[in-house]
């Protein structure tokens, strides 16, 4: 099962919004949101909450790709998130999430008995390449038990 399929199976909102996982590596995830009128705002583009969900989902995908091998001993959780809406988003939009610290550093902290935190940066773009939003999600790996 791919990371996109896993998220669609376990996170109902991913299915509801029809998010498409275009690329998922331990360093980067690219997720697209099709243009869907039922999720538009008052100016005809994706609602701010939908764009937040797109960005957070992309960040979660890169976290799972980077730390999937740690799931037996730690749970990835979002700690905080900040988003800036830069330009009007119209049509389909794509979120590109990038891991903000080397995974080896994060795993080393987990190995040392710590609860590591690490940022994931997200750029949200419309079809013409214009950045419509920027987001940072801080994640942690909470040790089990």
């Amino acid at each position: 099962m791919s990371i996109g399929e896993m998220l669609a199976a376990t996170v109902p909102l991913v299915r509801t919004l029809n998010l498409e996982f275009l690329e998922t590596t331990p360093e980067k995830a690219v997720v697209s949101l099709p243009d869907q009128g039922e999720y538009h705002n008052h100016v005809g583009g994706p609602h701010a909450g939908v764009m937040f969900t797109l960005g957070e989902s992309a960040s979660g995908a890169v976290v799972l790709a980077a730390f999937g091998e740690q799931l037996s001993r730690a749970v990835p959780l979002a700690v905080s998130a900040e988003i800036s809406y830069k330009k009007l988003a119209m049509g389909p939009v794509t979120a590109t999430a990038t891991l903000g610290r080397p995974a080896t550093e994060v795993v080393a902290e987990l190995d040392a008995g710590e609860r590591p935190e690490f940022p994931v940066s997200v750029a949200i773009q419309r079809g013409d390449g214009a950045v419509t939003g920027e987001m940072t999600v801080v994640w942690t790996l909470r040790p089990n038990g």
Side-chain angles (χ1 to χ4, degrees), residues 87-98:
K87 293 185 178 194
L88 185 60
M90 300 296 282
V93 290
T94 302
T96 302
T98 307

Side-chain angles (χ1 to χ4, degrees), residues 1-12 14-15 21 24 60-61 63-65 67-69 71 76:
M1 183 181 288
S2 72
I3 288 174
E5 291 167 337
M6 183 172 61
L7 285 170
T10 58
V11 181
V14 168
R15 287 190 310 275
F21 293 79
T24 307
V63 167
L64 286 174
F67 303 108
E69 294 178 0
L71 293 180

Side-chain angles (χ1 to χ4, degrees), residues 51-64:
M51 288 179 53
F52 182 96
T53 301
L54 169 66
E56 195 275 343
S57 297
S59 76
V62 75
V63 167
L64 286 174

Side-chain angles (χ1 to χ4, degrees), residues 32-57:
S32 90
L33 170 73
D35 187 22
Q36 301 167 89
E38 62 269 31
Y39 305 118
H40 283 179
N41 58 21
H42 61 289
V43 293
H47 187 278
V50 172
M51 288 179 53
F52 182 96
T53 301
L54 169 66
E56 195 275 343
S57 297

Side-chain angles (χ1 to χ4, degrees), residues 78-141:
V79 173
S80 65
E82 184 176 320
I83 191 165
S84 299
Y85 301 101
K86 303 291 188 183
K87 293 185 178 194
L88 185 60
M90 300 296 282
V93 290
T94 302
T96 302
T98 307
L99 195 62
R101 286 181 57 200
T104 54
E105 284 181 10
V106 175
V107 172
E109 288 178 18
L110 188 63
D111 289 343
E114 300 174 26
R115 182 175 168 168
E117 290 190 1
F118 52 94
V120 175
S121 299
V122 183
I124 302 171
Q125 295 177 283
R126 58 186 188 214
D128 67 1
V131 174
T132 63
E134 294 175 334
M135 184 176 195
T136 300
V137 182
V138 175
W139 286 83
T140 188
L141 295 179

